[in-house]
Amino acid sequence: MQTREQLIHKRIIHVVIIIATSFFAYQYSNWGDALWIPISALAIIGPFTPGMSTRKAQQRMIGSIAGLFLSIVIWLLLFNSSAMLAVVATVLIYLVAFTVVQKYTYFVMLVSIMLCINFDYVNLFINNEMAYLTNRIICVFTGVAICQFYDFLIFRNSYDNAVSLIEGKRINKLIINIKFNLNNMQQYNKNLNKIIIEDYFQDIIQELELLTELKESCNYTYGNQKQTITLLDSYIDKLKLIYAEISEVAYSLSVK
């Protein structure tokens, strides 16, 4: 069984190889807008866990393609009426705030549209527009393909059953500490301390978010993560139970 440090070290090597390959492709491809190759690769490997990188690669491809095709519609609108630029810019500014809390796909789509509009503003010719779209799609696809090549073919089994990524000792210590304090509150009829209860709630919610994110990563990774997912589910259930216990104690103490 690999340790947490070994998995992190392996992921660092994985990421460095992807970055090096993407910059090599950028330097020697001689494609137009080839800088989007390393940009796409860097954006995808942003989540440190490999499964989330795979999910992000899918979202980036969908968002890029959708954004580039929508930019053609906006190009036609601006070509016929340049005065619409102010209206389009206002709508996009509003959408920036909207996409922040949405899936990564929508953010990539919006960024692609904004970049194309910036290009269109000084190049209102259909041949330039199509060349830009083609180059951008090729480069984004190449960046995504580089990441997926290493994830699927080279490092596919490197993270199998990465149970050491789950910090079980820390979670168990948190649960034991909370249960001990809750029992003391009930046994000695101590007054409700809202600050302590809120801290417990916050700690449990934070741990649940971390475990849920790790589980999502395991669901999208190419390797076998059955043991990891089983362990994650057990800890998620434990945290939900202690959350319910905190709620019951908080209610019982508040009505006394």
Side-chain angles (χ1 to χ4, degrees):
M1 189 68 67
Q2 299 180 84
T3 65
R4 181 181 178 85
E5 290 72 22
Q6 288 174 328
L7 289 170
I8 292 174
H9 181 69
K10 188 173 294 185
R11 181 59 177 166
I12 291 173
I13 296 174
H14 185 172
V15 168
V16 170
I17 292 175
I18 289 176
I19 294 173
T21 304
S22 63
F23 274 100
F24 177 84
Y26 157 66
Q27 186 172 1
Y28 291 98
S29 64
N30 292 321
W31 294 340
D33 301 302
L35 185 59
W36 282 105
I37 298 175
I39 290 176
S40 297
L42 288 169
I44 290 170
I45 62 177
F48 195 71
T49 50
M52 292 303 293
S53 298
T54 302
R55 176 60 173 164
K56 205 170 183 180
Q58 298 171 356
Q59 293 175 337
R60 187 168 186 85
M61 279 303 302
I62 295 172
S64 295
I65 293 172
L68 293 175
F69 278 106
L70 284 174
S71 70
I72 297 177
V73 177
I74 297 176
W75 177 87
L76 292 172
L77 180 65
L78 295 177
F79 184 81
N80 292 313
S81 177
S82 59
M84 290 298 296
L85 180 62
V87 177
V88 172
T90 302
V91 173
L92 290 177
I93 291 173
Y94 169 80
L95 290 176
V96 167
F98 173 76
T99 56
V100 168
V101 295
Q102 301 299 320
K103 291 182 179 179
Y104 181 63
T105 304
Y106 298 107
F107 175 76
V108 173
M109 181 177 68
L110 181 64
V111 170
S112 299
I113 292 173
M114 295 178 72
L115 289 171
C116 287
I117 290 176
N118 179 67
F119 180 83
D120 293 339
Y121 187 71
V122 292
N123 297 279
L124 287 176
F125 298 98
I126 188 64
N127 57 329
N128 292 336
E129 171 73 6
M130 296 310 297
Y132 177 78
L133 293 179
T134 302
N135 289 334
R136 176 79 190 281
I137 290 176
I138 290 174
C139 294
V140 169
F141 177 79
T142 302
V144 171
I146 289 171
C147 294
Q148 295 305 292
F149 170 79
Y150 286 108
D151 284 352
F152 184 75
L153 294 178
I154 308 299
F155 291 92
R156 179 174 184 174
N157 299 318
S158 298
Y159 311 98
D160 283 355
N161 293 315
V163 294
S164 59
L165 290 178
I166 304 171
E167 299 181 75
K169 291 183 179 180
R170 180 172 57 80
I171 299 173
N172 288 331
K173 184 177 179 180
L174 173 65
I175 293 174
I176 292 172
N177 181 56
I178 292 176
K179 284 188 174 183
F180 177 78
N181 291 330
L182 289 178
N183 289 332
N184 281 342
M185 282 184 183
Q186 292 175 306
Q187 184 176 356
Y188 298 106
N189 294 319
K190 292 183 177 181
N191 293 329
L192 173 64
N193 189 326
K194 291 183 179 179
I195 296 178
I196 294 177
I197 294 296
E198 288 176 359
D199 287 341
Y200 289 160
F201 279 130
Q202 186 175 356
D203 290 341
I204 296 298
I205 291 172
Q206 184 178 358
E207 292 295 340
L208 283 171
E209 288 176 350
L210 292 173
L211 292 178
T212 301
E213 182 179 347
L214 182 56
K215 182 179 178 180
E216 184 179 2
S217 173
C218 291
N219 285 328
Y220 285 108
T221 189
Y222 291 119
N224 177 15
Q225 297 293 346
K226 289 183 179 180
Q227 293 180 19
T228 310
I229 292 175
T230 300
L231 187 59
L232 281 167
D233 286 334
S234 68
Y235 275 112
I236 290 173
D237 290 339
K238 288 180 181 179
L239 289 171
K240 287 181 178 179
L241 285 173
I242 194 67
Y243 187 93
E245 288 181 26
I246 297 173
S247 301
E248 291 179 3
V249 172
Y251 176 76
S252 64
L253 293 175
S254 65
V255 297
K256 286 183 179 179

